[in-house]
């Protein structure tokens, strides 16, 4: 699994700045979500739900302790993944994100 920073919506554009128009930002968000879906699909292939959840939590805890994962990164991750989940799994992910933010 890649680190959570890769799911941040703020990516430099072609000239190296982080400023984006709203159209560029929408396209960037869409592209980030598509890429996230691809990465998650590949990472989850053949793994059980508990293995996936354990991997996500382990990587997030490591990132929070190292200072490389912010609460905004966690929110971005949740917002990108939540639309793919049913109600129960979405609530469970939200609980995990809240727990990780307290680290």
């Amino acid at each position: 699994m890649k680190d959570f920073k890769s799911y941040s919506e703020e990516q430099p554009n072609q000239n190296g700045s982080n400023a984006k128009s709203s159209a560029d930002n929408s396209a960037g968000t869409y592209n980030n979500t598509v890429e996230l879906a691809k990465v998650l699909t590949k990472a989850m292939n053949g793994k059980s739900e508990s293995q996936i959840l354990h991997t996500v939590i382990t990587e997030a805890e490591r990132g929070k302790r190292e200072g490389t994962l912010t609460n905004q990164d966690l929110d971005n991750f949740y917002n990108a993944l939540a639309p793919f989940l049913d109600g129960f799994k979405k609530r469970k992910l939200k609980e995990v994100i809240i727990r990780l933010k307290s680290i």
Side-chain angles (χ1 to χ4, degrees):
M1 177 171 199
K2 289 186 176 185
D3 64 34
F4 283 80
K5 278 289 196 198
S6 64
Y7 305 118
S8 177
E9 289 182 335
E10 206 175 281
Q11 304 253 336
N13 62 17
Q14 291 175 347
N15 65 11
S17 75
N18 284 336
K20 286 187 171 191
S21 70
S22 68
D24 287 344
N25 193 26
S26 295
T29 299
Y30 173 78
N31 288 336
N32 287 345
T33 303
V34 169
E35 288 304 311
L36 170 63
K38 288 178 185 177
V39 168
L40 290 175
T41 301
K42 187 175 179 180
M44 288 188 258
N45 191 21
K47 294 184 180 175
S48 71
E49 184 177 323
S50 64
Q51 288 172 316
I52 295 166
L53 186 59
H54 177 73
T55 301
V56 168
I57 292 171
T58 300
E59 287 299 311
E61 285 176 345
R62 182 180 57 79
K64 285 288 282 186
R65 286 192 175 87
E66 291 175 355
T68 59
L69 180 65
T70 66
N71 288 346
Q72 183 61 48
D73 295 327
L74 289 170
D75 288 337
N76 291 343
F77 179 76
Y78 175 81
N79 291 332
L81 191 59
F84 300 106
L85 303 174
D86 63 28
F88 175 77
K89 290 177 183 174
K90 193 181 292 188
R91 283 190 303 274
K92 178 117 174 135
L93 180 61
K94 186 67 171 176
E95 290 171 9
V96 169
I97 296 295
I98 290 169
R99 189 180 92 192
L100 290 169
K101 284 182 174 182
S102 69
I103 293 177

